[in-house]
Short mmCIF file of all heavy atoms in Angstrom, two decimals:
data_model
loop_
_atom_site.label_atom_id
_atom_site.label_comp_id
_atom_site.label_asym_id
_atom_site.label_seq_id
_atom_site.Cartn_x
_atom_site.Cartn_y
_atom_site.Cartn_z
N LEU A 195 52.81 8.63 -4.38
CA LEU A 195 54.20 8.45 -4.10
C LEU A 195 54.84 9.68 -3.47
O LEU A 195 55.66 9.63 -2.59
CB LEU A 195 54.97 8.02 -5.32
CG LEU A 195 54.63 6.62 -5.86
CD1 LEU A 195 55.47 6.37 -7.14
CD2 LEU A 195 54.89 5.57 -4.92
N THR A 196 54.38 10.93 -4.02
CA THR A 196 54.90 12.14 -3.53
C THR A 196 54.56 12.36 -2.02
O THR A 196 55.33 12.80 -1.21
CB THR A 196 54.41 13.26 -4.36
OG1 THR A 196 54.53 12.99 -5.67
CG2 THR A 196 55.16 14.58 -4.03
N GLN A 197 53.29 12.03 -1.77
CA GLN A 197 52.90 12.11 -0.30
C GLN A 197 53.65 11.21 0.62
O GLN A 197 54.08 11.49 1.69
CB GLN A 197 51.40 11.82 -0.21
CG GLN A 197 50.46 12.92 -0.73
CD GLN A 197 49.00 12.53 -0.66
OE1 GLN A 197 48.37 12.13 -1.69
NE2 GLN A 197 48.39 12.67 0.47
N GLN A 198 53.83 9.95 0.10
CA GLN A 198 54.62 8.96 0.87
C GLN A 198 56.08 9.47 1.10
O GLN A 198 56.60 9.33 2.21
CB GLN A 198 54.58 7.64 0.15
CG GLN A 198 53.22 6.92 0.11
CD GLN A 198 53.32 5.61 -0.59
OE1 GLN A 198 54.25 4.84 -0.37
NE2 GLN A 198 52.35 5.34 -1.51
N LEU A 199 56.63 10.05 0.11
CA LEU A 199 57.99 10.64 0.19
C LEU A 199 58.03 11.75 1.22
O LEU A 199 58.91 11.84 2.06
CB LEU A 199 58.51 11.06 -1.15
CG LEU A 199 59.88 11.74 -1.12
CD1 LEU A 199 60.97 10.74 -0.67
CD2 LEU A 199 60.24 12.28 -2.51
N ALA A 200 56.99 12.60 1.12
CA ALA A 200 56.92 13.72 2.08
C ALA A 200 56.83 13.21 3.56
O ALA A 200 57.45 13.77 4.45
CB ALA A 200 55.72 14.64 1.78
N LYS A 201 56.04 12.19 3.72
CA LYS A 201 55.93 11.59 5.11
C LYS A 201 57.28 10.98 5.54
O LYS A 201 57.71 11.22 6.67
CB LYS A 201 54.81 10.53 5.08
CG LYS A 201 54.67 9.88 6.44
CD LYS A 201 53.60 8.75 6.35
CE LYS A 201 54.23 7.50 5.58
NZ LYS A 201 53.32 6.37 5.57
N ASN A 202 57.91 10.27 4.57
CA ASN A 202 59.12 9.65 5.01
C ASN A 202 60.29 10.67 5.32
O ASN A 202 61.11 10.44 6.19
CB ASN A 202 59.67 8.74 3.93
CG ASN A 202 58.72 7.50 3.71
OD1 ASN A 202 58.00 7.14 4.62
ND2 ASN A 202 58.73 6.90 2.52
N LEU A 203 60.22 11.75 4.61
CA LEU A 203 61.32 12.75 4.74
C LEU A 203 61.09 13.63 5.98
O LEU A 203 62.08 14.01 6.61
CB LEU A 203 61.48 13.58 3.48
CG LEU A 203 61.99 12.82 2.21
CD1 LEU A 203 62.00 13.83 1.04
CD2 LEU A 203 63.37 12.17 2.45
N PHE A 204 59.87 14.07 6.15
CA PHE A 204 59.64 15.21 7.08
C PHE A 204 58.75 14.95 8.23
O PHE A 204 58.73 15.65 9.18
CB PHE A 204 59.07 16.40 6.25
CG PHE A 204 59.90 16.83 5.14
CD1 PHE A 204 59.34 16.70 3.82
CD2 PHE A 204 61.10 17.35 5.27
CE1 PHE A 204 60.12 17.06 2.72
CE2 PHE A 204 61.84 17.82 4.19
CZ PHE A 204 61.33 17.63 2.88
N LEU A 205 57.88 13.89 8.19
CA LEU A 205 56.85 13.69 9.08
C LEU A 205 56.98 12.36 9.89
O LEU A 205 57.89 11.55 9.62
CB LEU A 205 55.45 13.77 8.48
CG LEU A 205 55.15 15.06 7.66
CD1 LEU A 205 53.89 14.90 6.89
CD2 LEU A 205 55.16 16.22 8.56
N THR A 206 56.14 12.19 10.89
CA THR A 206 56.11 10.99 11.69
C THR A 206 55.00 10.03 11.09
O THR A 206 54.36 10.30 10.07
CB THR A 206 55.71 11.29 13.16
OG1 THR A 206 54.42 11.88 13.22
CG2 THR A 206 56.78 12.32 13.71
N GLU A 207 54.89 8.88 11.76
CA GLU A 207 53.92 7.82 11.29
C GLU A 207 52.58 8.00 12.01
O GLU A 207 51.72 7.09 11.81
CB GLU A 207 54.48 6.50 11.63
CG GLU A 207 55.72 6.12 10.89
CD GLU A 207 55.47 5.89 9.41
OE1 GLU A 207 54.30 5.57 9.02
OE2 GLU A 207 56.39 6.06 8.57
N GLU A 208 52.35 9.06 12.77
CA GLU A 208 51.05 9.20 13.41
C GLU A 208 49.90 9.32 12.44
O GLU A 208 50.08 9.88 11.38
CB GLU A 208 51.06 10.40 14.39
CG GLU A 208 51.30 11.72 13.65
CD GLU A 208 51.22 12.92 14.62
OE1 GLU A 208 50.75 12.71 15.71
OE2 GLU A 208 51.69 13.97 14.25
N ARG A 209 48.82 8.71 12.81
CA ARG A 209 47.59 8.75 11.91
C ARG A 209 46.66 9.84 12.40
O ARG A 209 45.72 9.52 13.23
CB ARG A 209 46.95 7.40 11.91
CG ARG A 209 47.81 6.33 11.22
CD ARG A 209 47.07 4.94 11.35
NE ARG A 209 47.86 4.00 10.60
CZ ARG A 209 47.76 3.66 9.36
NH1 ARG A 209 46.87 4.27 8.58
NH2 ARG A 209 48.44 2.63 8.82
N THR A 210 46.84 11.11 11.99
CA THR A 210 45.98 12.15 12.38
C THR A 210 45.66 13.00 11.20
O THR A 210 46.41 13.00 10.11
CB THR A 210 46.63 13.04 13.45
OG1 THR A 210 47.80 13.65 12.94
CG2 THR A 210 46.97 12.27 14.74
N MET A 211 44.53 13.76 11.28
CA MET A 211 44.15 14.63 10.15
C MET A 211 45.18 15.77 9.90
O MET A 211 45.51 16.09 8.81
CB MET A 211 42.79 15.21 10.38
CG MET A 211 42.26 16.15 9.25
SD MET A 211 42.20 15.30 7.65
CE MET A 211 40.82 14.12 8.05
N LYS A 212 45.83 16.22 11.08
CA LYS A 212 46.82 17.24 10.92
C LYS A 212 47.97 16.79 10.10
O LYS A 212 48.46 17.43 9.18
CB LYS A 212 47.17 17.68 12.34
CG LYS A 212 48.35 18.68 12.36
CD LYS A 212 48.75 18.96 13.78
CE LYS A 212 49.96 19.88 13.88
NZ LYS A 212 50.41 20.14 15.27
N ARG A 213 48.46 15.51 10.47
CA ARG A 213 49.57 14.99 9.71
C ARG A 213 49.26 14.73 8.30
O ARG A 213 50.07 15.05 7.41
CB ARG A 213 50.05 13.66 10.38
CG ARG A 213 51.47 13.26 10.07
CD ARG A 213 51.53 12.42 8.79
NE ARG A 213 50.90 11.23 9.00
CZ ARG A 213 50.49 10.36 7.98
NH1 ARG A 213 50.72 10.78 6.71
NH2 ARG A 213 49.87 9.20 8.22
N LYS A 214 47.98 14.34 7.98
CA LYS A 214 47.61 14.11 6.59
C LYS A 214 47.61 15.39 5.84
O LYS A 214 48.01 15.53 4.68
CB LYS A 214 46.25 13.44 6.50
CG LYS A 214 45.90 12.90 5.21
CD LYS A 214 46.69 11.71 4.91
CE LYS A 214 46.40 10.92 3.64
NZ LYS A 214 47.23 9.78 3.40
N LEU A 215 47.10 16.48 6.43
CA LEU A 215 47.13 17.79 5.70
C LEU A 215 48.55 18.31 5.49
O LEU A 215 48.81 18.95 4.52
CB LEU A 215 46.29 18.77 6.54
CG LEU A 215 44.80 18.53 6.65
CD1 LEU A 215 44.06 19.51 7.58
CD2 LEU A 215 44.14 18.65 5.27
N GLN A 216 49.43 18.13 6.54
CA GLN A 216 50.76 18.50 6.37
C GLN A 216 51.46 17.73 5.24
O GLN A 216 52.22 18.31 4.46
CB GLN A 216 51.59 18.25 7.65
CG GLN A 216 51.21 19.26 8.78
CD GLN A 216 51.92 18.86 10.10
OE1 GLN A 216 52.28 17.73 10.38
NE2 GLN A 216 52.21 19.85 10.88
N GLU A 217 51.10 16.46 5.16
CA GLU A 217 51.65 15.61 4.09
C GLU A 217 51.22 16.17 2.73
O GLU A 217 52.06 16.21 1.80
CB GLU A 217 51.13 14.22 4.28
CG GLU A 217 51.48 13.18 3.28
CD GLU A 217 50.81 11.84 3.48
OE1 GLU A 217 51.07 11.24 4.53
OE2 GLU A 217 50.00 11.50 2.69
N MET A 218 49.96 16.58 2.62
CA MET A 218 49.51 17.10 1.24
C MET A 218 50.29 18.39 0.93
O MET A 218 50.63 18.64 -0.21
CB MET A 218 47.97 17.37 1.35
CG MET A 218 47.12 16.13 1.47
SD MET A 218 45.36 16.49 1.45
CE MET A 218 44.64 14.83 1.47
N GLU A 219 50.37 19.30 1.94
CA GLU A 219 51.04 20.54 1.67
C GLU A 219 52.44 20.34 1.26
O GLU A 219 52.98 20.98 0.28
CB GLU A 219 50.96 21.50 2.93
CG GLU A 219 51.49 22.85 2.70
CD GLU A 219 51.16 23.75 3.92
OE1 GLU A 219 50.26 23.46 4.66
OE2 GLU A 219 51.88 24.77 4.05
N LEU A 220 53.13 19.40 1.93
CA LEU A 220 54.56 19.13 1.53
C LEU A 220 54.65 18.43 0.23
O LEU A 220 55.67 18.58 -0.54
CB LEU A 220 55.17 18.19 2.58
CG LEU A 220 55.47 18.91 3.97
CD1 LEU A 220 55.83 17.92 5.08
CD2 LEU A 220 56.55 19.96 3.86
N ALA A 221 53.63 17.67 -0.14
CA ALA A 221 53.58 17.04 -1.45
C ALA A 221 53.59 18.10 -2.56
O ALA A 221 54.22 18.00 -3.59
CB ALA A 221 52.42 16.02 -1.65
N PHE A 222 52.71 19.08 -2.39
CA PHE A 222 52.63 20.21 -3.34
C PHE A 222 54.00 20.90 -3.49
O PHE A 222 54.40 21.23 -4.61
CB PHE A 222 51.53 21.19 -3.02
CG PHE A 222 50.16 20.66 -3.22
CD1 PHE A 222 49.16 20.67 -2.26
CD2 PHE A 222 49.76 20.30 -4.49
CE1 PHE A 222 47.88 20.22 -2.49
CE2 PHE A 222 48.48 19.77 -4.75
CZ PHE A 222 47.57 19.81 -3.69
N TRP A 223 54.64 21.09 -2.32
CA TRP A 223 55.96 21.72 -2.39
C TRP A 223 57.01 20.87 -3.09
O TRP A 223 57.79 21.40 -3.90
CB TRP A 223 56.40 22.01 -0.95
CG TRP A 223 57.84 22.55 -0.86
CD1 TRP A 223 58.20 23.84 -1.06
CD2 TRP A 223 59.00 21.80 -0.57
NE1 TRP A 223 59.58 23.95 -0.90
CE2 TRP A 223 60.03 22.71 -0.59
CE3 TRP A 223 59.30 20.50 -0.24
CZ2 TRP A 223 61.44 22.33 -0.28
CZ3 TRP A 223 60.49 20.08 0.04
CH2 TRP A 223 61.59 20.99 -0.02
N LEU A 224 56.99 19.60 -2.87
CA LEU A 224 57.92 18.68 -3.54
C LEU A 224 57.73 18.73 -5.04
O LEU A 224 58.65 18.74 -5.83
CB LEU A 224 57.84 17.27 -3.02
CG LEU A 224 58.44 17.00 -1.63
CD1 LEU A 224 58.05 15.59 -1.13
CD2 LEU A 224 59.93 17.13 -1.68
N GLU A 225 56.41 18.76 -5.47
CA GLU A 225 56.09 18.75 -6.87
C GLU A 225 56.55 20.03 -7.57
O GLU A 225 56.99 20.04 -8.72
CB GLU A 225 54.60 18.48 -7.06
CG GLU A 225 54.11 17.17 -6.78
CD GLU A 225 54.35 16.10 -7.88
OE1 GLU A 225 54.66 16.57 -9.00
OE2 GLU A 225 54.14 14.92 -7.68
N ARG A 226 56.44 21.13 -6.82
CA ARG A 226 56.90 22.42 -7.40
C ARG A 226 58.41 22.47 -7.45
O ARG A 226 58.94 23.09 -8.39
CB ARG A 226 56.33 23.56 -6.49
CG ARG A 226 56.67 24.98 -7.04
CD ARG A 226 56.12 26.02 -6.14
NE ARG A 226 56.75 25.93 -4.81
CZ ARG A 226 57.83 26.54 -4.54
NH1 ARG A 226 58.51 27.26 -5.42
NH2 ARG A 226 58.32 26.50 -3.28
N LYS A 227 59.12 21.96 -6.49
CA LYS A 227 60.63 22.07 -6.41
C LYS A 227 61.33 21.09 -7.25
O LYS A 227 62.49 21.35 -7.72
CB LYS A 227 60.95 21.92 -4.97
CG LYS A 227 62.46 22.28 -4.69
CD LYS A 227 62.80 22.33 -3.18
CE LYS A 227 64.26 22.69 -2.91
NZ LYS A 227 64.61 24.02 -3.33
N HIS A 228 60.76 19.85 -7.42
CA HIS A 228 61.46 18.79 -8.11
C HIS A 228 60.61 18.17 -9.23
O HIS A 228 59.39 18.29 -9.25
CB HIS A 228 61.75 17.56 -7.11
CG HIS A 228 62.66 17.98 -5.88
ND1 HIS A 228 64.00 18.14 -5.97
CD2 HIS A 228 62.25 18.34 -4.65
CE1 HIS A 228 64.46 18.60 -4.84
NE2 HIS A 228 63.47 18.70 -4.01
N SER A 229 61.35 17.64 -10.15
CA SER A 229 60.72 16.95 -11.33
C SER A 229 60.13 15.63 -10.87
O SER A 229 60.48 15.17 -9.82
CB SER A 229 61.65 16.78 -12.44
OG SER A 229 62.64 15.84 -12.12
N LYS A 230 59.31 15.06 -11.73
CA LYS A 230 58.72 13.72 -11.37
C LYS A 230 59.78 12.66 -11.26
O LYS A 230 59.68 11.82 -10.35
CB LYS A 230 57.75 13.37 -12.49
CG LYS A 230 56.41 14.10 -12.44
CD LYS A 230 55.59 13.62 -11.27
CE LYS A 230 54.20 14.24 -11.28
NZ LYS A 230 53.37 13.94 -10.15
N ASN A 231 60.77 12.65 -12.15
CA ASN A 231 61.77 11.66 -12.04
C ASN A 231 62.69 11.78 -10.82
O ASN A 231 63.11 10.84 -10.22
CB ASN A 231 62.63 11.64 -13.26
CG ASN A 231 61.95 11.07 -14.47
OD1 ASN A 231 60.92 10.35 -14.36
ND2 ASN A 231 62.44 11.38 -15.68
N GLU A 232 62.88 13.07 -10.45
CA GLU A 232 63.66 13.32 -9.23
C GLU A 232 62.90 12.81 -7.99
O GLU A 232 63.50 12.22 -7.09
CB GLU A 232 63.96 14.83 -9.04
CG GLU A 232 65.01 15.31 -10.11
CD GLU A 232 65.19 16.84 -9.99
OE1 GLU A 232 64.24 17.50 -9.51
OE2 GLU A 232 66.23 17.26 -10.47
N ILE A 233 61.58 13.04 -7.97
CA ILE A 233 60.82 12.59 -6.89
C ILE A 233 60.81 11.04 -6.79
O ILE A 233 60.91 10.44 -5.73
CB ILE A 233 59.30 13.13 -6.96
CG1 ILE A 233 59.35 14.65 -6.72
CG2 ILE A 233 58.41 12.45 -5.96
CD1 ILE A 233 58.01 15.31 -6.99
N LEU A 234 60.67 10.40 -7.95
CA LEU A 234 60.61 8.90 -7.97
C LEU A 234 61.98 8.39 -7.55
O LEU A 234 62.08 7.39 -6.83
CB LEU A 234 60.25 8.50 -9.43
CG LEU A 234 60.12 6.94 -9.60
CD1 LEU A 234 59.04 6.40 -8.68
CD2 LEU A 234 59.79 6.67 -11.06
N GLU A 235 63.10 9.00 -7.97
CA GLU A 235 64.41 8.56 -7.57
C GLU A 235 64.55 8.72 -6.00
O GLU A 235 65.16 7.82 -5.39
CB GLU A 235 65.45 9.28 -8.32
CG GLU A 235 66.90 8.80 -8.03
CD GLU A 235 67.86 9.61 -8.91
OE1 GLU A 235 67.74 9.66 -10.07
OE2 GLU A 235 68.87 10.12 -8.25
N LEU A 236 64.18 9.86 -5.56
CA LEU A 236 64.24 10.03 -4.08
C LEU A 236 63.42 8.98 -3.30
O LEU A 236 63.92 8.43 -2.28
CB LEU A 236 63.70 11.45 -3.68
CG LEU A 236 64.77 12.62 -3.72
CD1 LEU A 236 64.03 13.88 -3.49
CD2 LEU A 236 65.79 12.39 -2.55
N TYR A 237 62.27 8.75 -3.74
CA TYR A 237 61.36 7.76 -3.14
C TYR A 237 62.04 6.32 -3.13
O TYR A 237 62.08 5.67 -2.09
CB TYR A 237 60.08 7.70 -3.90
CG TYR A 237 59.11 6.68 -3.43
CD1 TYR A 237 58.27 6.88 -2.27
CD2 TYR A 237 59.04 5.41 -4.03
CE1 TYR A 237 57.38 5.90 -1.89
CE2 TYR A 237 58.13 4.40 -3.55
CZ TYR A 237 57.36 4.70 -2.46
OH TYR A 237 56.44 3.70 -2.00
N LEU A 238 62.59 5.94 -4.23
CA LEU A 238 63.16 4.62 -4.34
C LEU A 238 64.41 4.45 -3.42
O LEU A 238 64.66 3.34 -2.89
CB LEU A 238 63.51 4.30 -5.73
CG LEU A 238 62.28 4.11 -6.74
CD1 LEU A 238 62.84 3.91 -8.18
CD2 LEU A 238 61.44 2.89 -6.32
N ASN A 239 65.02 5.55 -3.22
CA ASN A 239 66.27 5.53 -2.41
C ASN A 239 66.04 5.78 -0.92
O ASN A 239 67.00 5.63 -0.15
CB ASN A 239 67.29 6.52 -2.94
CG ASN A 239 68.02 6.03 -4.18
OD1 ASN A 239 68.63 4.96 -4.18
ND2 ASN A 239 67.90 6.81 -5.19
N ARG A 240 64.72 6.05 -0.53
CA ARG A 240 64.51 6.43 0.91
C ARG A 240 63.44 5.50 1.49
O ARG A 240 63.35 5.40 2.70
CB ARG A 240 64.09 7.88 0.99
CG ARG A 240 65.13 8.84 0.73
CD ARG A 240 66.31 8.72 1.71
NE ARG A 240 67.31 9.82 1.48
CZ ARG A 240 67.33 10.89 2.20
NH1 ARG A 240 66.41 11.12 3.07
NH2 ARG A 240 68.28 11.82 1.96
#
């Protein structure tokens, strides 16, 4: 869910390895910056 949120917030829908790696890196950043419940709430609203 964190990766999906990172893609929805910051990235495009292109299916490339580069985009996937960016998605992972942003997912780690989101997990460090926000709590699980905050991430889930952001996901459900976006």
Side-chain angles (χ1 to χ4, degrees):
L195 291 180
T196 312
Q197 287 178 261
Q198 294 180 42
L199 177 62
K201 180 186 70 175
N202 293 338
L203 293 179
F204 305 111
L205 304 174
T206 64
E207 294 291 336
E208 62 177 344
R209 294 176 176 271
T210 62
M211 182 59 68
K212 175 184 174 182
R213 200 271 295 163
K214 197 68 177 178
L215 293 173
Q216 289 176 332
E217 177 185 295
M218 292 181 177
E219 186 170 339
L220 290 169
F222 285 125
W223 174 79
L224 284 171
E225 291 277 348
R226 182 181 64 84
K227 188 175 181 63
H228 300 279
S229 68
K230 286 289 186 181
N231 285 344
E232 289 174 341
I233 291 173
L234 184 57
E235 183 177 308
L236 270 172
Y237 176 85
L238 294 175
N239 283 302
R240 292 299 186 94

